[in-house]
């Protein structure tokens, strides 16, 4: 496993381009009448150091076109090691629906309530599909097969809430997702009310690949 600091550096490089996509998408498109390109309008692109904006744009062009399996948007499969993850929805909520009893899900005695965030906070709730494309089983909720973090525009990172197996409809604790199989999971992250969460990054914790995979949101939450 890479150190958290090196993960952040890689995540910033990948996430930056995808964030630019959401920013550019919100910019009104220029009128065709104001964009005139002729054969004589020559732009002399002198060899110079690529700007950060250009580098970001290049990364963004890969995310969302399927050319980089480790960078994508909501609805696109993104891979790292033995994990193929597709974020289906991303939304902000004040509560997360969790089992508030000591009984397991489906027992008939379980009870679910909306658990509120701490004062000054809210939840970013991610519904995702995880496919095990590796060679070993993985326990999605009570083990640590996937290191997954939400990130805001300030590049702060946020862990998932504890006890993922208590979130309604999540896989049970110690349920092993076998190679070649897929399961659905809900991740919840508690973040400050005034944060702008732009995406997430994740890593197969059994992989030697130190560069995490990134999923960018279409708009910040």
């Amino acid at each position: 496993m890479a150190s958290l600091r090196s993960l952040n550096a890689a995540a910033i490089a990948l996430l930056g381009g995808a964030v630019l996509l959401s920013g550019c998408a919100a910019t009104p498109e220029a009128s065709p009448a104001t964009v005139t390109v002729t054969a004589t309008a020559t732009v002399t692109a002198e060899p110079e150091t690529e700007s950060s904006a250009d580098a970001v744009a290049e990364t963004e062009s890969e995310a969302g076109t399927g050319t980089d399996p480790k960078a994508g948007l909501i609805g696109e499969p993104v891979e790292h090691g033995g994990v193929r993850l597709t974020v289906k929805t991303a939304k902000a909520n004040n509560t997360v629906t969790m089992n508030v009893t000591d009984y397991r899900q489906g027992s008939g005695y379980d009870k679910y309530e909306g658990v509120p965030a701490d004062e000054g906070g809210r939840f970013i709730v991610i519904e995702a599909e995880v496919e095990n494309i590796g060679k070993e089983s993985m326990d999605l909720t009570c083990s640590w097969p996937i290191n997954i973090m939400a990130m805001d525009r300030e590049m702060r990172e946020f862990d998932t809430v504890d006890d993922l197996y208590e979130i309604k409809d999540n896989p049970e604790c110690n349920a092993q997702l076998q190679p070649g199989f897929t399961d659905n999971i809900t991740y919840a992250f508690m973040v400050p009310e005034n944060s702008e969460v732009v995406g997430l990054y994740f890593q197969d914790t059994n992989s030697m690949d130190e560069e995490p995979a990134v999923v960018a949101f279409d708009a910040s939450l």
Side-chain angles (χ1 to χ4, degrees):
M1 277 290 294
S3 68
L4 192 57
R5 179 170 297 181
S6 63
L7 283 179
N8 286 345
I12 290 171
L14 285 174
L15 188 61
V19 170
L20 183 64
L21 176 63
S22 62
C24 291
T27 303
E29 186 175 348
S31 167
T34 63
V35 181
T36 304
V37 179
T38 67
T40 58
T42 303
V43 178
T44 57
E46 298 181 3
E48 57 183 19
T49 303
E50 185 179 32
S51 68
S52 58
D54 291 338
V56 161
E58 182 177 348
T59 306
E60 176 274 312
S61 67
E62 293 179 354
T65 61
T67 59
D68 185 354
K70 290 171 60 180
L73 305 174
I74 293 177
E76 298 177 344
V78 181
E79 299 178 9
H80 189 283
V83 177
R84 178 180 291 136
L85 185 144
T86 304
V87 174
K88 297 188 292 185
T89 65
K91 56 188 177 182
N93 278 344
N94 292 323
T95 62
V96 174
T97 304
M98 302 185 72
N99 182 6
V100 294
T101 71
D102 293 329
Y103 298 101
R104 66 175 179 81
Q105 293 200 44
S107 66
Y109 299 98
D110 46 335
K111 180 181 178 182
Y112 296 90
E113 294 180 359
V115 177
D118 293 345
E119 184 177 356
R122 61 194 175 98
F123 292 109
I124 300 299
V125 180
I126 306 296
E127 294 181 349
E129 178 183 271
V130 175
E131 181 180 356
N132 184 348
I133 58 175
K135 298 185 181 299
E136 299 178 353
S137 63
M138 58 179 68
D139 176 1
L140 294 178
T141 56
C142 279
S143 185
W144 191 49
I146 305 173
N147 177 40
I148 184 167
M149 299 277 189
M151 296 188 72
D152 70 2
R153 196 170 292 280
E154 298 177 37
M155 293 303 169
R156 296 180 296 181
E157 57 184 25
F158 303 93
D159 303 302
T160 62
V161 299
D162 294 333
D163 301 331
L164 289 176
Y165 62 93
E166 298 286 16
I167 295 179
K168 188 174 183 180
D169 297 327
N170 264 1
E172 292 184 14
C173 187
N174 298 323
Q176 299 295 321
L177 180 62
Q178 301 298 318
F181 286 83
T182 301
D183 207 347
N184 294 313
I185 186 169
T186 298
Y187 293 106
F189 308 84
M190 188 161 60
V191 303
E193 288 180 342
N194 61 354
S195 61
E196 291 184 66
V197 179
V198 295
L200 58 85
Y201 76 81
F202 70 92
Q203 183 184 37
D204 177 354
T205 56
N206 291 317
S207 173
M208 299 299 292
D209 184 355
E210 296 185 353
E211 185 179 71
V214 169
V215 179
F217 301 157
D218 298 325
S220 60
L221 297 175

